[in-house]
Amino acid sequence: MKVAFINSQCAGSTGSICSSIANYLVEQGHECRIFYGRFENKNNPAIYFGGSVVRNFINNLLAYFTGRVGEFHTAATKRLIKELTKFNPDVIHLNNLHGNYINIKILFKYLAHFDGEVVMTLHDQYMMTGHCAISYSCEGFKTGCKKCPHHEFYPHVLLYRGRRLLKKKEEYLSAIKNLKIVSPSEWLNELTNYTFLAKYPRFVINNGINLPVSVSKNNQHKMKVKLLFVASPWASYKGPNDIVDLSKKLDLNKYELVVVGRLDNSFKKFPENVTYLGQLSQEELSKIYDECDIFVDPTYQDNFPTVLLEAMAHGLPCIAYDTGGCKEIVTNEVGIIVKERNSDALFKAITNFDMSKFDTMKIQDKAKKYTKTIMAEKYFELYKN
């Protein structure tokens, strides 16, 4: 079997997912290629088909001023199709198609004549909305994205053309034979019921993680409860302002707030009474997991956040808002879901949190059900069928 992956980049969470599936398939004796169009990395074996820095800048500028996201980068997309034709895959697996790196019309026209199988993983809501990768609780996509209260957010545009772009997505996808839709969470799969994607065969395959080689908890003789917050980037919808609020409300003689991850342009700085560690390597982050007591995820919008699974793999109980697929991960035996999404409710959950109710081994055992190997096996079964 030959499988081709198309994604915005070769790194990050979606890049890691593509690599994990591809590595598993290669181990099983199959052939894979990963194609990406953003952030060229010459040290990565994935195939970069994007343009030069200057050409990408011009195309992105055109998309910004015209609002025609996904309608430029013609030359790059033709290079991709040339590579796909040469590889001649049995399965083409589409991942993130946003990021202004590909011409949707040209790609989907090629896929309409492709005789193999096409799998599309919804890592976010981009393919079911006219504009947004994250709908920010807006339900306009159910009625055609006629207006957008968030069009100034990513992907950034000056003119809003979401209604037209959503119709184009539906038109292009309808021409593809043998299309399968995968959602990483039941929550996102449920949302597709309200969109044109509902007519396609749909599957739920949870994202997976790499389990830590070892867990070395260092909780002896601690004077404070260490609360850990991880996101990258700390965009506004990830809840950084709630962390700032908590730093004012919590007794910092009893609690320490530890934050990991790079900052977003929409959020500039954490206060000095928050321990901000910036972006860390996975090895460095593993040590921080082992040093902390509770993982807190204040995100207001997410799909199936693997950061919760990573924390659980280190035995940390979790507190998260009731958003996206969080409650599919954080069940009663591993933590608390906070129904009201605000810092007051989060403060109450933290201060009333009873550590004695949670067993470290049981939390780790649940995380073991979501490994990258299990995820790859499920995708492999889908490809075969």
Side-chain angles (χ1 to χ4, degrees), residues 98-165:
H98 55 78
N100 281 335
Y101 74 99
I102 201 163
N103 187 299
I104 299 292
K105 181 180 180 179
I106 294 174
L107 173 63
F108 283 15
K109 186 176 180 180
Y110 165 81
L111 294 175
H113 297 91
F114 176 63
D115 291 328
E117 301 291 326
V118 180
V119 174
M120 182 168 69
T121 296
L122 304 177
H123 296 290
D124 48 45
Q125 294 174 257
Y126 181 71
M127 290 308 296
M128 67 174 74
T129 73
H131 175 79
C132 300
I134 298 170
S135 69
Y136 303 96
S137 301
C138 169
E139 296 189 346
F141 64 91
K142 295 180 180 179
T143 54
C145 286
K146 297 173 184 177
K147 294 182 179 180
C148 182
H150 305 299
H151 76 267
E152 72 276 11
F153 293 159
Y154 174 88
H156 309 292
V157 293
L158 189 62
L159 294 176
Y160 175 69
R161 300 183 185 270
R163 187 178 184 184
R164 172 184 174 275
L165 293 176

Side-chain angles (χ1 to χ4, degrees), residues 2 24 32 39 184 217 221 225 235 250 279 287 322 332 351 369:
K2 290 183 176 182
Y24 176 84
C32 298
F39 310 124
K217 300 302 288 182
H221 311 299
V225 175
L250 289 169
Q279 188 80 27
K287 293 179 181 178
D322 185 6
N332 291 335
T351 52
K369 297 177 182 178

Side-chain angles (χ1 to χ4, degrees), residues 69-81:
V69 179
E71 295 189 1
F72 297 98
H73 295 275
T74 301
T77 309
K78 288 181 177 179
R79 276 195 295 274
L80 168 63
I81 290 171

Side-chain angles (χ1 to χ4, degrees), residues 295-314:
F295 186 83
V296 184
D297 189 359
T299 184
Y300 281 74
Q301 192 81 24
D302 216 323
N303 185 352
F304 194 79
T306 52
V307 68
L308 288 168
L309 298 174
E310 290 179 357
M312 288 162 50
H314 287 264

Side-chain angles (χ1 to χ4, degrees), residues 271-289:
E272 292 184 2
N273 57 3
V274 171
T275 304
Y276 174 60
L277 302 177
Q279 188 80 27
L280 300 180
S281 67
Q282 196 59 46
E283 183 180 353
E284 291 169 328
L285 180 56
S286 290
K287 293 179 181 178
I288 301 301
Y289 280 130

Side-chain angles (χ1 to χ4, degrees), residues 71-340:
E71 295 189 1
F72 297 98
H73 295 275
T74 301
T77 309
K78 288 181 177 179
R79 276 195 295 274
L80 168 63
I81 290 171
K82 185 178 179 180
E83 292 288 344
L84 287 171
T85 303
K86 186 176 13 176
F87 182 48
N88 190 27
D90 303 295
V91 178
I92 294 178
H93 187 163
L94 306 174
N95 290 272
N96 271 353
L97 295 179
H98 55 78
N100 281 335
Y101 74 99
I102 201 163
N103 187 299
I104 299 292
K105 181 180 180 179
I106 294 174
L107 173 63
F108 283 15
K109 186 176 180 180
Y110 165 81
L111 294 175
H113 297 91
F114 176 63
D115 291 328
E117 301 291 326
V118 180
V119 174
M120 182 168 69
T121 296
L122 304 177
H123 296 290
D124 48 45
Q125 294 174 257
Y126 181 71
M127 290 308 296
M128 67 174 74
T129 73
H131 175 79
C132 300
I134 298 170
S135 69
Y136 303 96
S137 301
C138 169
E139 296 189 346
F141 64 91
K142 295 180 180 179
T143 54
C145 286
K146 297 173 184 177
K147 294 182 179 180
C148 182
H150 305 299
H151 76 267
E152 72 276 11
F153 293 159
Y154 174 88
H156 309 292
V157 293
L158 189 62
L159 294 176
Y160 175 69
R161 300 183 185 270
R163 187 178 184 184
R164 172 184 174 275
L165 293 176
L166 184 58
K167 287 181 178 179
K168 289 294 183 183
K169 289 175 185 177
E170 182 174 5
E171 175 189 335
Y172 299 152
L173 280 174
S174 297
I176 300 176
K177 306 183 291 269
N178 303 322
L179 175 63
K180 312 293 189 298
I181 305 293
V182 175
S183 297
S185 66
E186 295 288 353
W187 165 79
L188 190 58
N189 186 53
E190 178 66 22
L191 285 187
T192 61
N193 287 326
Y194 303 97
T195 73
F196 65 90
L197 298 176
K199 63 185 178 183
Y200 299 102
R202 291 171 294 150
F203 306 84
V204 174
I205 299 179
N206 299 136
N207 294 335
I209 60 168
N210 289 321
L211 295 175
V213 176
S214 63
V215 176
S216 176
K217 300 302 288 182
N218 183 18
N219 292 333
Q220 293 183 350
H221 311 299
K222 292 176 69 171
M223 301 297 293
K224 298 181 181 181
V225 175
K226 277 193 174 185
L227 307 174
L228 177 61
F229 306 79
V230 179
S232 192
W234 277 105
S236 57
Y237 70 89
K238 288 290 186 179
N241 290 312
D242 288 7
I243 299 175
V244 175
D245 288 347
L246 288 174
S247 71
K248 299 173 183 176
K249 296 173 181 178
L250 289 169
D251 182 351
L252 298 185
N253 290 315
K254 296 181 180 179
Y255 297 94
E256 180 181 354
L257 283 66
V258 181
V259 178
V260 174
R262 65 182 176 87
L263 300 181
D264 184 78
N265 290 333
S266 61
F267 183 83
K268 300 299 183 183
K269 186 179 180 182
F270 285 103
E272 292 184 2
N273 57 3
V274 171
T275 304
Y276 174 60
L277 302 177
Q279 188 80 27
L280 300 180
S281 67
Q282 196 59 46
E283 183 180 353
E284 291 169 328
L285 180 56
S286 290
K287 293 179 181 178
I288 301 301
Y289 280 130
D290 289 342
E291 293 174 0
C292 292
D293 303 292
I294 304 171
F295 186 83
V296 184
D297 189 359
T299 184
Y300 281 74
Q301 192 81 24
D302 216 323
N303 185 352
F304 194 79
T306 52
V307 68
L308 288 168
L309 298 174
E310 290 179 357
M312 288 162 50
H314 287 264
L316 289 181
C318 300
I319 300 174
Y321 286 145
D322 185 6
T323 187
C326 290
K327 63 183 176 185
E328 297 168 39
I329 301 172
V330 183
T331 51
N332 291 335
E333 70 270 20
V334 300
I336 294 175
I337 288 291
V338 182
K339 295 291 183 182
E340 296 178 45

